[in-house]
Amino acid sequence: MNRGRKTRPRHSSQDGVYFAMEDLLSYGLLTFATLALPSLGLCLAIKVTKYFNLAYGDIVTAGAFLALLMNLSFKINIGIALLISIALTALLGVFLHKVVFKALMEAKVGPLTLLVVSLGVGLVIRNVVLIGWGPQPYQFNTPLTRAKHLGPFFFTPNQIVMILICILVAIGIFLMLRYTQLGRLMRATSDNPSLSLIRGISIEKVYTYTWIIACGLAAIGGVFMGMLGTIKPGMGEEALVTLFACLIVGGIENPYGAVVGALITAFAMEATAIWISPPYKVVSAYLLMFFILLIKPSGIFGREKIQWKYFLGFLRSRQ
Amino acid sequence: MEILSWILTIATIVAIYSIMGLALNVHFGYTNLPNFGIAGFFAVGAYASAILTAPHRFREMEIFAGFPGGVAGRIEAPFIVGLLAAIVLAGVVGLIIGIPLLRLREDYLAVASIGIAQTIYYVAVNELWLTTGSAGIRLIPMPTGNRYLYFLLVLLLLAIAYWVVNRFYSTPIGRVWRGVREDEVITASLGKSIFRSRMSAWIAGCSIMGAAGCLWAHYSMAIQPGEFVPTTTFLVWIFVIVGGLRNNKGILLGAILIMGFFEQGTRFLPAIGAPYIMPAIRLIIIGVLLVVFVRFRPQGVLPERHKKIEAHIR
Amino acid sequence: MGVIFKAEEVSLAFGGIKALDGFSIELEENTITALIGPNGAGKTTFFNVAGGIYPPDGGAVYFRGERVDGLRPDQICMKGLTRTFQIARELGEMSVWENVMLAPKGQVGERVFSSLLRWGTVKKQEKENWEKAEELLKEMGLYEERNELCKNLSAGKRKMLEICRAIMTGPELLMLDEPTAGATVDETKSIMGEIERLREEHGLTFLVVEHKMDVIMNLCNPIYVMYFGRNLAKGDAEAIQHNEQVREVYLGG
């Protein structure tokens, strides 16, 4: 999410408020476009498989680098490169699930063990990418376009396309979850895996499709992050905790919450970058996450009430 | 002479990492608190000691180079003050962080603690007045003046840490911690405060990590934020899991095997291609090793050993 | 002889379902009181309220005249009220002796610095506690298994261990949730004998939830009957057996 805009124009103080708001809207929406889809994908993965996959950040990286391979080495247009990258990343996700996680899940190890394993998997992906491309940052080869004012926003045509894709894909996923057989199966498996097994639903199939969707979304997110900034092996690892912040803000297993959480987190980050200090924008996402975990661990859409008492909870005796 | 100095380097690093591994055992092995923010507490200890003990000369050089002189180099305290400050400060930071974090379920705690370590990293990079930013703090004195003696000092502190962690295991506090690990509800209904028990384990572990950070700072004599990245945390996790979680001897073994032979031992082999290739290959192998171990031998090389009551009471 | 424990009109609802609906109970000191009722009557829920796991929605719980509802489980235990669980929950990866030695209150070694520095005191306390535990384990027939891991014990032994652990906290009131579930006939006898002995020799008070009628009828007086979270009847074994309402809902008429 480091998108190397050290040259963000600084506005003079008298019109600062107006322009800062404009910056906030534009950059907030762009950051949202990079975060929304991977956080939705991570949300689906957690919802169905019930463990935190820390390799997801590195799957985002893999998506970006696969698109980079197509775009730079094979000179393919970035749009087609994105499609190919989605397919390849989904393949990678299914491969990882089948080779590593499937056996462990069948052995009924706890979610924490799977989390630790996913850490090792992430380490492998990150370093394979590092060997392939080296530590230096890359950029996609995209046609140069000029930014234009659109009402209060200030975007290049590429960025408008990104935001549109992001919104359309998110809506598509929501419709899929609601109205298709696969969506129903995913929800059923999430609610009660053992029951689904009894009903004769092939859980393995549901897991496979979930990973295809989750990793496809990761690839889109990775490419978008790369479009706005640079592509380097550590990008996904940096983004991972931010993605978790989005999820926790919206409620960890709530797909709508994941997208709304991404929106809130994105604007919180950009507001921090504008008014407090750009290097601390990621920290603001973490702080938001801690705040939500403190007062409402089920996220802003969770059923429980806000628990302000948690602040002083360790002192309390009576509830 | 070359080979001796090489072994010495590796042995010192292994000993310092072992201390962190022992602290992780208090957190995760005893109390089931998956701390993925080890690098953060390591950094707190390292910076606390470095800032306090850096010589005046460092500050003068910074000012001479055109930087505003920070806190580092104002005090020039002796090593022992730095060590104590590292232990206390890491404990205090642990306390503050623990208040929100220790209520969470384990997997949430794991993710949130990664965020904590990253936050500490960003503070180290950006708060120039405190940490001099990504340039780091240099000229940190090595208290013994000599690397051989310093290695003995590290060994001494490792022995103390080992004794402390073992003592925790076999005294009532260790039983309470392990009770919390096995079943919180039962342990609470036997009159043990869950939050206090978790907190005491958390702070004890964090302080030990802080001590390891201090030793690291005085060993490398120059620290930068880049040393306190998540990879540091993951390495500790991996050797603890491979060596044997919940078994302190296993942790030492894991540190020697993974950190000694693998991570550090191969550091001095001739590089293949670009300089980043070898470390990357090492990390890939370590990652695969982790997956293989968790799959086929989750208890590690040496599993937990339960003391007999006769040996305990003696 | 006074009232040691009193619950007044305790109620608790889970998502609209009233698990406890104005339940009241009074325990006399140095008695063994039984709480019976069909499955789902709210006995375990009441234990969870009294043990501090759920704060009640309404009503009050007093222990030795002091209000204890809303306290945390550990605070309630420290006041002298220990409860056990229906499904024996064991600390599986710990040995039997460690389980039992976890329980005693006021162990100096439960503090970080004392555990490191006060060698003598810690050692002395451990010895004292083990002497008590050794005796208890021998009586309950668990002494041979003292170095076993709990997860390797049979269901009945786990139940016994849980009672041992509860006794080791040195309680004044012990609330046992189905102490003989899963125990063999011999084990049931030794558990019952131990309960009676503790009442006589140490002046403990008991509240026992049980399904085995012979156990209840021989051991307990008075008996409370609970039905859908409310009080249904109270009396000695004779009275309960002849109570029409109880026969209807519980004894199968």
Side-chain angles (χ1 to χ4, degrees), chain A residues 3 29-37 78 82 140 142 155-169 220-229:
Chain A
R3 75 187 74 118
L29 215 54
L30 284 175
T31 307
F32 166 73
T34 64
L35 289 179
L37 294 182
I78 183 70
L82 173 63
F140 285 122
T142 50
F155 290 137
T156 66
N158 277 344
Q159 293 169 341
I160 295 170
V161 172
M162 279 167 48
I163 293 167
L164 284 180
I165 291 178
C166 167
I167 292 170
L168 289 178
V169 171
I220 303 178
V223 171
F224 284 5
M225 286 174 199
M227 296 274 282
L228 286 177

mmCIF file of all heavy atoms in Angstrom, chain A residues 3 29-37 78 82 140 142 155-169 220-229:
data_model
loop_
_atom_site.group_PDB
_atom_site.id
_atom_site.type_symbol
_atom_site.label_atom_id
_atom_site.label_comp_id
_atom_site.label_asym_id
_atom_site.label_seq_id
_atom_site.Cartn_x
_atom_site.Cartn_y
_atom_site.Cartn_z
ATOM 1 N N ARG A 3 2.379 3.622 -1.890
ATOM 2 C CA ARG A 3 2.246 3.834 -3.317
ATOM 3 C C ARG A 3 3.083 5.018 -3.760
ATOM 4 O O ARG A 3 2.793 5.657 -4.761
ATOM 5 C CB ARG A 3 0.782 3.924 -3.716
ATOM 6 C CG ARG A 3 0.083 5.169 -3.385
ATOM 7 C CD ARG A 3 -1.343 4.933 -3.712
ATOM 8 N NE ARG A 3 -1.915 4.060 -2.716
ATOM 9 C CZ ARG A 3 -2.913 4.474 -1.954
ATOM 10 N NH1 ARG A 3 -3.397 5.680 -2.067
ATOM 11 N NH2 ARG A 3 -3.416 3.656 -1.072
ATOM 12 N N LEU A 29 -11.072 6.640 -1.641
ATOM 13 C CA LEU A 29 -11.774 5.728 -2.541
ATOM 14 C C LEU A 29 -10.789 4.789 -3.240
ATOM 15 O O LEU A 29 -11.070 3.600 -3.434
ATOM 16 C CB LEU A 29 -12.562 6.547 -3.568
ATOM 17 C CG LEU A 29 -13.897 5.965 -4.002
ATOM 18 C CD1 LEU A 29 -14.766 5.686 -2.791
ATOM 19 C CD2 LEU A 29 -14.608 6.907 -4.938
ATOM 20 N N LEU A 30 -9.622 5.321 -3.594
ATOM 21 C CA LEU A 30 -8.630 4.468 -4.260
ATOM 22 C C LEU A 30 -8.118 3.402 -3.304
ATOM 23 O O LEU A 30 -7.992 2.222 -3.677
ATOM 24 C CB LEU A 30 -7.462 5.322 -4.761
ATOM 25 C CG LEU A 30 -7.751 6.124 -6.022
ATOM 26 C CD1 LEU A 30 -6.579 7.011 -6.346
ATOM 27 C CD2 LEU A 30 -8.038 5.177 -7.171
ATOM 28 N N THR A 31 -7.802 3.794 -2.071
ATOM 29 C CA THR A 31 -7.332 2.805 -1.099
ATOM 30 C C THR A 31 -8.402 1.760 -0.866
ATOM 31 O O THR A 31 -8.122 0.562 -0.771
ATOM 32 C CB THR A 31 -6.975 3.502 0.225
ATOM 33 O OG1 THR A 31 -6.074 4.550 -0.062
ATOM 34 C CG2 THR A 31 -6.339 2.547 1.194
ATOM 35 N N PHE A 32 -9.655 2.233 -0.823
ATOM 36 C CA PHE A 32 -10.771 1.300 -0.684
ATOM 37 C C PHE A 32 -10.759 0.288 -1.827
ATOM 38 O O PHE A 32 -10.946 -0.921 -1.613
ATOM 39 C CB PHE A 32 -12.089 2.076 -0.660
ATOM 40 C CG PHE A 32 -13.307 1.234 -0.862
ATOM 41 C CD1 PHE A 32 -13.746 0.386 0.141
ATOM 42 C CD2 PHE A 32 -14.016 1.287 -2.056
ATOM 43 C CE1 PHE A 32 -14.867 -0.395 -0.042
ATOM 44 C CE2 PHE A 32 -15.138 0.495 -2.241
ATOM 45 C CZ PHE A 32 -15.556 -0.345 -1.235
ATOM 46 N N ALA A 33 -10.505 0.789 -3.051
ATOM 47 C CA ALA A 33 -10.516 -0.109 -4.211
ATOM 48 C C ALA A 33 -9.437 -1.179 -4.086
ATOM 49 O O ALA A 33 -9.616 -2.309 -4.542
ATOM 50 C CB ALA A 33 -10.332 0.686 -5.495
ATOM 51 N N THR A 34 -8.318 -0.852 -3.441
ATOM 52 C CA THR A 34 -7.274 -1.882 -3.293
ATOM 53 C C THR A 34 -7.599 -2.844 -2.168
ATOM 54 O O THR A 34 -7.197 -3.989 -2.212
ATOM 55 C CB THR A 34 -5.900 -1.255 -3.015
ATOM 56 O OG1 THR A 34 -5.964 -0.582 -1.756
ATOM 57 C CG2 THR A 34 -5.479 -0.296 -4.069
ATOM 58 N N LEU A 35 -8.295 -2.355 -1.120
ATOM 59 C CA LEU A 35 -8.501 -3.194 0.065
ATOM 60 C C LEU A 35 -9.760 -4.047 -0.015
ATOM 61 O O LEU A 35 -9.800 -5.154 0.515
ATOM 62 C CB LEU A 35 -8.599 -2.317 1.324
ATOM 63 C CG LEU A 35 -7.322 -1.649 1.799
ATOM 64 C CD1 LEU A 35 -7.599 -0.805 3.023
ATOM 65 C CD2 LEU A 35 -6.269 -2.689 2.109
ATOM 66 N N ALA A 36 -10.807 -3.512 -0.677
ATOM 67 C CA ALA A 36 -12.129 -4.131 -0.556
ATOM 68 C C ALA A 36 -12.124 -5.585 -1.034
ATOM 69 O O ALA A 36 -12.588 -6.472 -0.320
ATOM 70 C CB ALA A 36 -13.148 -3.324 -1.343
ATOM 71 N N LEU A 37 -11.589 -5.838 -2.224
ATOM 72 C CA LEU A 37 -11.710 -7.192 -2.759
ATOM 73 C C LEU A 37 -10.863 -8.203 -1.998
ATOM 74 O O LEU A 37 -11.368 -9.266 -1.640
ATOM 75 C CB LEU A 37 -11.396 -7.190 -4.252
ATOM 76 C CG LEU A 37 -12.423 -6.404 -5.073
ATOM 77 C CD1 LEU A 37 -12.090 -6.479 -6.549
ATOM 78 C CD2 LEU A 37 -13.835 -6.882 -4.828
ATOM 79 N N ILE A 78 -2.452 -4.837 -19.636
ATOM 80 C CA ILE A 78 -2.655 -5.038 -18.205
ATOM 81 C C ILE A 78 -4.007 -5.665 -17.901
ATOM 82 O O ILE A 78 -4.129 -6.486 -16.974
ATOM 83 C CB ILE A 78 -2.472 -3.699 -17.452
ATOM 84 C CG1 ILE A 78 -2.618 -3.891 -15.933
ATOM 85 C CG2 ILE A 78 -3.448 -2.643 -17.923
ATOM 86 C CD1 ILE A 78 -1.517 -4.640 -15.300
ATOM 87 N N LEU A 82 -4.352 -9.100 -15.967
ATOM 88 C CA LEU A 82 -5.118 -9.245 -14.727
ATOM 89 C C LEU A 82 -5.940 -10.525 -14.759
ATOM 90 O O LEU A 82 -5.935 -11.303 -13.798
ATOM 91 C CB LEU A 82 -6.030 -8.029 -14.540
ATOM 92 C CG LEU A 82 -7.028 -8.100 -13.386
ATOM 93 C CD1 LEU A 82 -6.298 -8.194 -12.066
ATOM 94 C CD2 LEU A 82 -7.948 -6.898 -13.384
ATOM 95 N N PHE A 140 3.792 -1.527 -13.165
ATOM 96 C CA PHE A 140 3.165 -2.049 -14.367
ATOM 97 C C PHE A 140 3.405 -1.097 -15.520
ATOM 98 O O PHE A 140 3.590 0.099 -15.343
ATOM 99 C CB PHE A 140 1.658 -2.186 -14.170
ATOM 100 C CG PHE A 140 1.282 -3.349 -13.311
ATOM 101 C CD1 PHE A 140 0.558 -3.149 -12.152
ATOM 102 C CD2 PHE A 140 1.641 -4.637 -13.662
ATOM 103 C CE1 PHE A 140 0.205 -4.226 -11.356
ATOM 104 C CE2 PHE A 140 1.295 -5.713 -12.876
ATOM 105 C CZ PHE A 140 0.575 -5.505 -11.720
ATOM 106 N N THR A 142 1.582 0.622 -17.950
ATOM 107 C CA THR A 142 0.227 0.998 -18.336
ATOM 108 C C THR A 142 0.290 2.268 -19.171
ATOM 109 O O THR A 142 1.214 3.067 -19.010
ATOM 110 C CB THR A 142 -0.647 1.276 -17.103
ATOM 111 O OG1 THR A 142 0.059 2.179 -16.258
ATOM 112 C CG2 THR A 142 -0.964 0.012 -16.346
ATOM 113 N N PHE A 155 -9.268 11.844 -10.573
ATOM 114 C CA PHE A 155 -8.828 10.495 -10.927
ATOM 115 C C PHE A 155 -8.286 10.441 -12.343
ATOM 116 O O PHE A 155 -8.681 11.216 -13.211
ATOM 117 C CB PHE A 155 -10.005 9.516 -10.880
ATOM 118 C CG PHE A 155 -10.510 9.239 -9.506
ATOM 119 C CD1 PHE A 155 -11.870 9.198 -9.246
ATOM 120 C CD2 PHE A 155 -9.634 8.995 -8.458
ATOM 121 C CE1 PHE A 155 -12.345 8.928 -7.990
ATOM 122 C CE2 PHE A 155 -10.099 8.719 -7.201
ATOM 123 C CZ PHE A 155 -11.466 8.694 -6.964
ATOM 124 N N THR A 156 -7.412 9.441 -12.591
ATOM 125 C CA THR A 156 -7.079 9.103 -13.959
ATOM 126 C C THR A 156 -8.117 8.099 -14.446
ATOM 127 O O THR A 156 -8.757 7.436 -13.630
ATOM 128 C CB THR A 156 -5.689 8.456 -14.043
ATOM 129 O OG1 THR A 156 -5.752 7.206 -13.361
ATOM 130 C CG2 THR A 156 -4.619 9.317 -13.417
ATOM 131 N N PRO A 157 -8.269 7.969 -15.782
ATOM 132 C CA PRO A 157 -9.241 6.985 -16.286
ATOM 133 C C PRO A 157 -8.984 5.586 -15.747
ATOM 134 O O PRO A 157 -9.921 4.860 -15.425
ATOM 135 C CB PRO A 157 -9.040 7.044 -17.799
ATOM 136 C CG PRO A 157 -8.508 8.405 -18.048
ATOM 137 C CD PRO A 157 -7.700 8.775 -16.853
ATOM 138 N N ASN A 158 -7.699 5.191 -15.618
ATOM 139 C CA ASN A 158 -7.377 3.871 -15.069
ATOM 140 C C ASN A 158 -7.970 3.675 -13.693
ATOM 141 O O ASN A 158 -8.519 2.628 -13.370
ATOM 142 C CB ASN A 158 -5.859 3.709 -14.950
ATOM 143 C CG ASN A 158 -5.255 3.296 -16.257
ATOM 144 O OD1 ASN A 158 -5.973 2.848 -17.142
ATOM 145 N ND2 ASN A 158 -3.952 3.468 -16.379
ATOM 146 N N GLN A 159 -7.841 4.739 -12.894
ATOM 147 C CA GLN A 159 -8.324 4.623 -11.524
ATOM 148 C C GLN A 159 -9.834 4.503 -11.484
ATOM 149 O O GLN A 159 -10.375 3.770 -10.664
ATOM 150 C CB GLN A 159 -7.845 5.825 -10.710
ATOM 151 C CG GLN A 159 -6.321 5.796 -10.532
ATOM 152 C CD GLN A 159 -5.770 7.078 -9.973
ATOM 153 O OE1 GLN A 159 -6.426 8.127 -10.020
ATOM 154 N NE2 GLN A 159 -4.567 7.016 -9.451
ATOM 155 N N ILE A 160 -10.499 5.203 -12.406
ATOM 156 C CA ILE A 160 -11.962 5.080 -12.444
ATOM 157 C C ILE A 160 -12.346 3.646 -12.775
ATOM 158 O O ILE A 160 -13.240 3.061 -12.154
ATOM 159 C CB ILE A 160 -12.545 6.066 -13.474
ATOM 160 C CG1 ILE A 160 -12.275 7.486 -13.001
ATOM 161 C CG2 ILE A 160 -14.042 5.846 -13.663
ATOM 162 C CD1 ILE A 160 -12.590 8.539 -14.020
ATOM 163 N N VAL A 161 -11.633 3.069 -13.741
ATOM 164 C CA VAL A 161 -11.924 1.680 -14.110
ATOM 165 C C VAL A 161 -11.721 0.766 -12.906
ATOM 166 O O VAL A 161 -12.532 -0.130 -12.619
ATOM 167 C CB VAL A 161 -11.032 1.237 -15.286
ATOM 168 C CG1 VAL A 161 -11.185 -0.249 -15.552
ATOM 169 C CG2 VAL A 161 -11.385 2.033 -16.528
ATOM 170 N N MET A 162 -10.632 1.011 -12.145
ATOM 171 C CA MET A 162 -10.359 0.176 -10.970
ATOM 172 C C MET A 162 -11.504 0.236 -9.978
ATOM 173 O O MET A 162 -11.956 -0.791 -9.458
ATOM 174 C CB MET A 162 -9.079 0.647 -10.282
ATOM 175 C CG MET A 162 -7.828 0.133 -10.925
ATOM 176 S SD MET A 162 -6.385 1.005 -10.309
ATOM 177 C CE MET A 162 -6.677 0.936 -8.562
ATOM 178 N N ILE A 163 -11.947 1.461 -9.695
ATOM 179 C CA ILE A 163 -13.011 1.603 -8.704
ATOM 180 C C ILE A 163 -14.275 0.916 -9.189
ATOM 181 O O ILE A 163 -14.958 0.220 -8.434
ATOM 182 C CB ILE A 163 -13.249 3.091 -8.395
ATOM 183 C CG1 ILE A 163 -12.023 3.658 -7.690
ATOM 184 C CG2 ILE A 163 -14.471 3.278 -7.507
ATOM 185 C CD1 ILE A 163 -12.007 5.153 -7.607
ATOM 186 N N LEU A 164 -14.568 1.075 -10.498
ATOM 187 C CA LEU A 164 -15.765 0.424 -11.046
ATOM 188 C C LEU A 164 -15.651 -1.100 -10.945
ATOM 189 O O LEU A 164 -16.583 -1.775 -10.511
ATOM 190 C CB LEU A 164 -15.970 0.841 -12.504
ATOM 191 C CG LEU A 164 -16.523 2.257 -12.675
ATOM 192 C CD1 LEU A 164 -16.680 2.573 -14.153
ATOM 193 C CD2 LEU A 164 -17.862 2.394 -11.951
ATOM 194 N N ILE A 165 -14.476 -1.631 -11.352
ATOM 195 C CA ILE A 165 -14.293 -3.087 -11.268
ATOM 196 C C ILE A 165 -14.519 -3.555 -9.837
ATOM 197 O O ILE A 165 -15.226 -4.529 -9.571
ATOM 198 C CB ILE A 165 -12.873 -3.487 -11.731
ATOM 199 C CG1 ILE A 165 -12.714 -3.267 -13.231
ATOM 200 C CG2 ILE A 165 -12.587 -4.948 -11.389
ATOM 201 C CD1 ILE A 165 -11.340 -3.602 -13.745
ATOM 202 N N CYS A 166 -13.913 -2.821 -8.905
ATOM 203 C CA CYS A 166 -13.998 -3.206 -7.500
ATOM 204 C C CYS A 166 -15.456 -3.300 -7.061
ATOM 205 O O CYS A 166 -15.893 -4.299 -6.490
ATOM 206 C CB CYS A 166 -13.228 -2.196 -6.666
ATOM 207 S SG CYS A 166 -13.545 -2.340 -4.927
ATOM 208 N N ILE A 167 -16.220 -2.257 -7.384
ATOM 209 C CA ILE A 167 -17.611 -2.235 -6.931
ATOM 210 C C ILE A 167 -18.416 -3.334 -7.612
ATOM 211 O O ILE A 167 -19.174 -4.065 -6.976
ATOM 212 C CB ILE A 167 -18.221 -0.844 -7.189
ATOM 213 C CG1 ILE A 167 -17.536 0.174 -6.264
ATOM 214 C CG2 ILE A 167 -19.716 -0.847 -6.936
ATOM 215 C CD1 ILE A 167 -17.873 1.605 -6.577
ATOM 216 N N LEU A 168 -18.211 -3.484 -8.938
ATOM 217 C CA LEU A 168 -18.992 -4.488 -9.668
ATOM 218 C C LEU A 168 -18.674 -5.900 -9.163
ATOM 219 O O LEU A 168 -19.585 -6.711 -8.959
ATOM 220 C CB LEU A 168 -18.712 -4.379 -11.166
ATOM 221 C CG LEU A 168 -19.308 -3.127 -11.811
ATOM 222 C CD1 LEU A 168 -18.939 -3.068 -13.289
ATOM 223 C CD2 LEU A 168 -20.819 -3.112 -11.642
ATOM 224 N N VAL A 169 -17.378 -6.184 -8.971
ATOM 225 C CA VAL A 169 -17.014 -7.537 -8.514
ATOM 226 C C VAL A 169 -17.592 -7.797 -7.133
ATOM 227 O O VAL A 169 -18.126 -8.883 -6.861
ATOM 228 C CB VAL A 169 -15.481 -7.713 -8.515
ATOM 229 C CG1 VAL A 169 -15.084 -9.007 -7.841
ATOM 230 C CG2 VAL A 169 -14.955 -7.687 -9.935
ATOM 231 N N ILE A 220 -6.825 -9.655 -7.849
ATOM 232 C CA ILE A 220 -7.295 -8.325 -8.257
ATOM 233 C C ILE A 220 -6.736 -7.275 -7.307
ATOM 234 O O ILE A 220 -6.213 -6.233 -7.725
ATOM 235 C CB ILE A 220 -8.846 -8.267 -8.252
ATOM 236 C CG1 ILE A 220 -9.421 -9.351 -9.169
ATOM 237 C CG2 ILE A 220 -9.305 -6.902 -8.726
ATOM 238 C CD1 ILE A 220 -10.935 -9.380 -9.169
ATOM 239 N N GLY A 221 -6.815 -7.568 -5.993
ATOM 240 C CA GLY A 221 -6.296 -6.621 -5.006
ATOM 241 C C GLY A 221 -4.819 -6.351 -5.221
ATOM 242 O O GLY A 221 -4.372 -5.206 -5.189
ATOM 243 N N GLY A 222 -4.058 -7.423 -5.468
ATOM 244 C CA GLY A 222 -2.622 -7.256 -5.664
ATOM 245 C C GLY A 222 -2.324 -6.383 -6.877
ATOM 246 O O GLY A 222 -1.472 -5.489 -6.830
ATOM 247 N N VAL A 223 -3.048 -6.624 -7.970
ATOM 248 C CA VAL A 223 -2.819 -5.839 -9.186
ATOM 249 C C VAL A 223 -3.181 -4.369 -8.930
ATOM 250 O O VAL A 223 -2.452 -3.451 -9.335
ATOM 251 C CB VAL A 223 -3.623 -6.415 -10.357
ATOM 252 C CG1 VAL A 223 -3.557 -5.486 -11.556
ATOM 253 C CG2 VAL A 223 -3.088 -7.783 -10.729
ATOM 254 N N PHE A 224 -4.294 -4.146 -8.214
ATOM 255 C CA PHE A 224 -4.693 -2.760 -7.939
ATOM 256 C C PHE A 224 -3.658 -2.050 -7.068
ATOM 257 O O PHE A 224 -3.325 -0.889 -7.313
ATOM 258 C CB PHE A 224 -6.065 -2.731 -7.247
ATOM 259 C CG PHE A 224 -7.210 -2.986 -8.187
ATOM 260 C CD1 PHE A 224 -6.987 -3.324 -9.500
ATOM 261 C CD2 PHE A 224 -8.513 -2.883 -7.743
ATOM 262 C CE1 PHE A 224 -8.029 -3.563 -10.366
ATOM 263 C CE2 PHE A 224 -9.582 -3.120 -8.601
ATOM 264 C CZ PHE A 224 -9.332 -3.466 -9.916
ATOM 265 N N MET A 225 -3.161 -2.771 -6.054
ATOM 266 C CA MET A 225 -2.116 -2.166 -5.226
ATOM 267 C C MET A 225 -0.913 -1.808 -6.086
ATOM 268 O O MET A 225 -0.299 -0.759 -5.917
ATOM 269 C CB MET A 225 -1.683 -3.136 -4.115
ATOM 270 C CG MET A 225 -2.685 -3.281 -2.986
ATOM 271 S SD MET A 225 -2.163 -4.577 -1.843
ATOM 272 C CE MET A 225 -3.715 -4.925 -1.032
ATOM 273 N N GLY A 226 -0.578 -2.715 -7.008
ATOM 274 C CA GLY A 226 0.541 -2.455 -7.891
ATOM 275 C C GLY A 226 0.289 -1.288 -8.820
ATOM 276 O O GLY A 226 1.187 -0.501 -9.121
ATOM 277 N N MET A 227 -0.969 -1.153 -9.298
ATOM 278 C CA MET A 227 -1.301 -0.048 -10.198
ATOM 279 C C MET A 227 -1.111 1.296 -9.505
ATOM 280 O O MET A 227 -0.705 2.280 -10.127
ATOM 281 C CB MET A 227 -2.770 -0.148 -10.636
ATOM 282 C CG MET A 227 -3.105 -1.362 -11.447
ATOM 283 S SD MET A 227 -2.786 -1.135 -13.175
ATOM 284 C CE MET A 227 -4.214 -0.176 -13.627
ATOM 285 N N LEU A 228 -1.461 1.351 -8.211
ATOM 286 C CA LEU A 228 -1.388 2.628 -7.505
ATOM 287 C C LEU A 228 -0.008 2.915 -6.961
ATOM 288 O O LEU A 228 0.306 4.051 -6.634
ATOM 289 C CB LEU A 228 -2.391 2.632 -6.351
ATOM 290 C CG LEU A 228 -3.839 2.781 -6.791
ATOM 291 C CD1 LEU A 228 -4.740 2.693 -5.596
ATOM 292 C CD2 LEU A 228 -4.052 4.082 -7.514
ATOM 293 N N GLY A 229 0.798 1.889 -6.809
ATOM 294 C CA GLY A 229 2.110 2.120 -6.220
ATOM 295 C C GLY A 229 3.146 1.272 -6.899
ATOM 296 O O GLY A 229 3.233 1.257 -8.120
#
